[in-house]
Amino acid sequence: MPGTPQAPQYVDDVSYLNLFHRHATPAWLHFVAGALGHAGPDPAAALRWCELGCGPGYGTVLTAAAYPKGRFVGIDFNAAHIAQAQALATEAGASNVRFLERDLQSLVDGAAGGGAQTPAVPGQGNAALTARAPGVRARNDVDLSRDPDFVEGFDFISVIGVYAWVSPEDRDAVLRFVARFLKPGGMLYLTYSCHPGMSWFVGMQRLLADYAATVSGSSSEKVVAALRFLKELASAEGSLLAEHPAQLAEIARALESDPRYLAHEFMAPHWAPQHVGDVLRDLAKVGCTWLGSAQPGDNIDEFAIAPALRPLLDSLPAGTLRETARALATRQSMRHDIFLRHARPVSADAHRRLLMAQKLTGMPGATSALLRAREPRLGPDTGWGAVLAPALTSLTTQGPQSFPQLARHVAYADRVGLLNPVFQLLVDAGVAHPMLAGTIDSRRAQAFNLVISGAVLRGEPYGWLAAPAIGSAISVEPWLMALANALLTSPALRWDALLQAVGTRLDALRALPGQGPALASAMPAANSLSGALRDAMRDVVPTWRALGVIAG
């Protein structure tokens, strides 16, 4: 997908961020699908998972480390991203993940090599699907129709952000890829900027790109300069946007974001928010049924929709029309859609079995205060907060809780129907997570975590460690990365030696050129390290061990 110097197609001079997306993991998607009455692929099985637009591969390698029985493929057009991803996988010993350097159109063209027939998207001509912009490389040197991963097909395909950044031809290529390689019963996770929440930015994005072309420097430097100009222009007296403080505030917030993110998000010449109805209809043409949002709270109207809006939305048929109206009513700017290939809703009994198989574990530091901080609508003084409180207390004081266990709780015994939304909202807020069934092999995850925590101590911007018991990851701040690294390096460390090991690592973090002062502000001071470490050993480390982040 890279373009010529005269007509750039996509940003490839600066690397994308090292991000992890919990919504893309098999356990998460299976959990949300189950709540919605559908059976997704078993996350505890030997699954196959693919990410289109994997960037530098951190999230892909992390997910592979959390699922040692699975097979993972990351695909990106950017050679530097692929090199970085392969290096991380090699260092972490993640032998169940591989990376391919491909642009979207040659990817699906190459998949049809050797005379194989790639299905067209119904209602669209093949010419539109195979058109390639000037300067885009054709990479048909490998016949994916003979590749074991692609011949078998994928249980999960993840496309994060890409769909709104690329040309119409590349969006068609995504649809072709899904049509060919997502298994029947497989799940697609698709995120994209959408109307109407991002409609206001369409004209400004064009100005950003045109202004950036007049500025020298990297794409990161160009987009920051362009945003500063846009902010000044929009704030000036007489500007239309000066009458819209909320949108001015969004521009100001953008300037506080990582410039690499801004470059990839807004410098793509084809960036365009998508109409929800168009996306749902296009995926339906390749046999993918929209299930709902990967953000579980969005699927609960009583939580997510204002009371006055609900009767109006309920008067519409479920599906495309209702979602279009819902997006408009709530001014959605980003979609987190999940789809099931050749979906069939399960029976009421099967749905009940799916729910009864769910088991949640609390995340590190899970308390009512954390719940309020992450989602004010779930605070203890709210209606939903009061409903969630008994479940959160049980998770905090008694450990992991299954659906049947909480169904016997006095708070839910006479209203078991509340437990499905309770489970969904606790997970959405990040204070709980569904657990994987069966025996968990943590060795590959811990090898990955040792590499990542060590990289953080050298100044690399990683923020998540693999947690195989939940098939996902936990967010870890830098000073706790030092603790994780000490325990991963020497699991038998006792108090005095552990305190010294962590202190030495924190001293190294504080001494990082250019980063030390910023990192130090978020670390315990040397004279308070002992107390902070005792708190972490009591409140955090036991959860790490239970989740397989470090050795038990």
Side-chain angles (χ1 to χ4, degrees), residues 319-481:
T320 301
L321 176 59
R322 189 179 191 277
E323 278 306 296
T324 298
R326 197 176 195 264
L328 179 64
T330 59
R331 197 174 174 266
Q332 278 188 335
S333 59
M334 177 66 70
R335 295 282 294 191
H336 297 263
D337 288 335
I338 55 176
F339 300 84
L340 191 62
R341 186 86 186 276
H342 303 326
R344 292 182 181 177
V346 300
S347 68
D349 284 345
H351 188 195
R352 182 178 181 278
R353 287 194 295 272
L354 284 171
L355 296 178
M356 288 297 174
Q358 292 178 354
K359 188 174 187 179
L360 298 188
T361 184
M363 300 302 284
T367 64
S368 294
L370 181 61
L371 187 65
R372 180 198 288 274
R374 292 186 174 177
E375 177 46 83
R377 290 176 295 173
L378 298 178
D381 54 347
T382 67
W384 276 109
V387 171
L388 267 59
L392 184 59
T393 299
S394 295
L395 286 168
T396 304
T397 59
Q398 301 173 31
Q401 297 288 299
S402 68
F403 205 101
Q405 282 176 295
L406 282 177
R408 294 190 293 270
H409 192 290
V410 64
Y412 305 113
D414 295 330
R415 43 182 187 165
V416 175
L418 279 175
L419 276 182
N420 190 6
V422 164
F423 269 45
Q424 297 294 303
L425 289 173
L426 287 171
V427 169
D428 196 9
V431 297
H433 198 285
M435 300 189 73
L436 286 177
T439 303
I440 304 300
D441 182 354
S442 301
R443 292 171 297 178
R444 186 165 290 170
Q446 290 167 14
F448 171 86
N449 292 341
L450 179 60
V451 168
I452 292 300
S453 59
V456 170
L457 298 177
R458 298 190 299 272
E460 295 293 328
Y462 295 118
W464 299 78
L465 295 179
I470 57 173
S472 186
I474 58 169
S475 177
V476 181
E477 56 187 292
W479 94 265
L480 286 174
M481 285 284 190

Side-chain angles (χ1 to χ4, degrees), residues 260-277:
R260 296 170 298 167
Y261 167 79
L262 296 172
H264 284 269
E265 181 68 28
F266 297 125
M267 293 291 285
H270 298 293
W271 178 86
Q274 301 297 298
H275 290 282
V276 174

Side-chain angles (χ1 to χ4, degrees), residues 1 9-10 52-53 77 103-105 159-174 264-265 268-274:
M1 295 181 287
Q9 294 298 310
Y10 299 104
L52 295 180
F77 82 96
D103 65 76
L104 288 169
Q105 292 174 60
V159 187
I160 298 174
V162 172
Y163 206 71
W165 301 345
V166 298
S167 67
E169 293 80 13
D170 280 335
R171 284 194 292 274
D172 290 337
V174 171
H264 284 269
E265 181 68 28
H270 298 293
W271 178 86
Q274 301 297 298

Side-chain angles (χ1 to χ4, degrees), residues 201-213 266 268-271:
F201 198 69
V202 172
M204 280 176 269
Q205 189 273 341
R206 178 60 61 88
L207 176 62
L208 278 184
D210 289 348
Y211 185 92
F266 297 125
H270 298 293
W271 178 86

Side-chain angles (χ1 to χ4, degrees), residues 32-280:
V32 177
L36 296 170
H38 290 270
D42 181 0
L47 56 88
R48 291 179 187 262
W49 183 95
C50 178
E51 182 171 11
L52 295 180
C54 65
Y58 171 55
T60 308
V61 179
L62 188 159
T63 307
Y67 292 87
K69 291 193 293 187
R71 291 282 305 164
F72 293 79
V73 178
I75 301 171
D76 202 276
F77 82 96
N78 189 325
H81 281 165
I82 294 301
Q84 186 175 340
Q86 289 175 333
L88 177 59
T90 299
E91 186 179 5
S95 58
N96 61 332
V97 62
R98 54 191 284 238
F99 293 93
L100 299 176
E101 180 197 342
R102 296 286 186 278
D103 65 76
L104 288 169
Q105 292 174 60
S106 71
L107 176 69
V108 289
D109 292 346
Q117 196 85 32
T118 301
V121 177
Q124 298 175 352
N126 283 335
L129 301 177
T130 57
R132 185 173 288 109
V136 174
R137 293 170 293 175
R139 293 292 305 272
N140 291 322
D141 50 326
V142 175
D143 180 6
L144 297 184
S145 67
R146 300 177 183 273
D147 184 290
D149 286 322
F150 292 83
V151 170
E152 177 73 17
F154 295 101
D155 299 285
F156 297 92
I157 293 177
S158 175
V159 187
I160 298 174
V162 172
Y163 206 71
W165 301 345
V166 298
S167 67
E169 293 80 13
D170 280 335
R171 284 194 292 274
D172 290 337
V174 171
L175 296 174
R176 290 183 73 193
F177 186 89
V178 170
R180 185 172 180 87
F181 294 118
L182 184 61
K183 291 180 182 179
M187 295 188 71
L188 168 69
Y189 172 52
L190 183 72
T191 75
Y192 53 96
S193 301
C194 68
H195 295 291
M198 292 302 294
S199 301
W200 68 277
F201 198 69
V202 172
M204 280 176 269
Q205 189 273 341
R206 178 60 61 88
L207 176 62
L208 278 184
D210 289 348
Y211 185 92
T214 70
V215 178
S216 60
S218 69
S219 293
S220 295
E221 294 166 329
K222 288 172 179 283
V223 73
V224 169
L227 273 170
R228 285 174 177 160
F229 174 78
L230 177 59
K231 180 182 178 183
E232 186 176 356
L233 178 68
S235 304
E237 185 177 353
S239 167
L240 176 64
L241 271 180
E243 302 171 10
H244 298 273
Q247 293 173 352
L248 280 175
E250 289 187 46
I251 295 172
R253 280 194 296 272
L255 278 165
E256 297 174 0
S257 302
D258 191 304
R260 296 170 298 167
Y261 167 79
L262 296 172
H264 284 269
E265 181 68 28
F266 297 125
M267 293 291 285
H270 298 293
W271 178 86
Q274 301 297 298
H275 290 282
V276 174
D278 289 345
V279 176
L280 270 55

Side-chain angles (χ1 to χ4, degrees), residues 506-523:
L506 293 185
D507 288 343
L509 273 175
R510 293 187 184 96
L512 286 173
Q515 302 179 53
L519 289 171
S521 66
M523 294 181 202

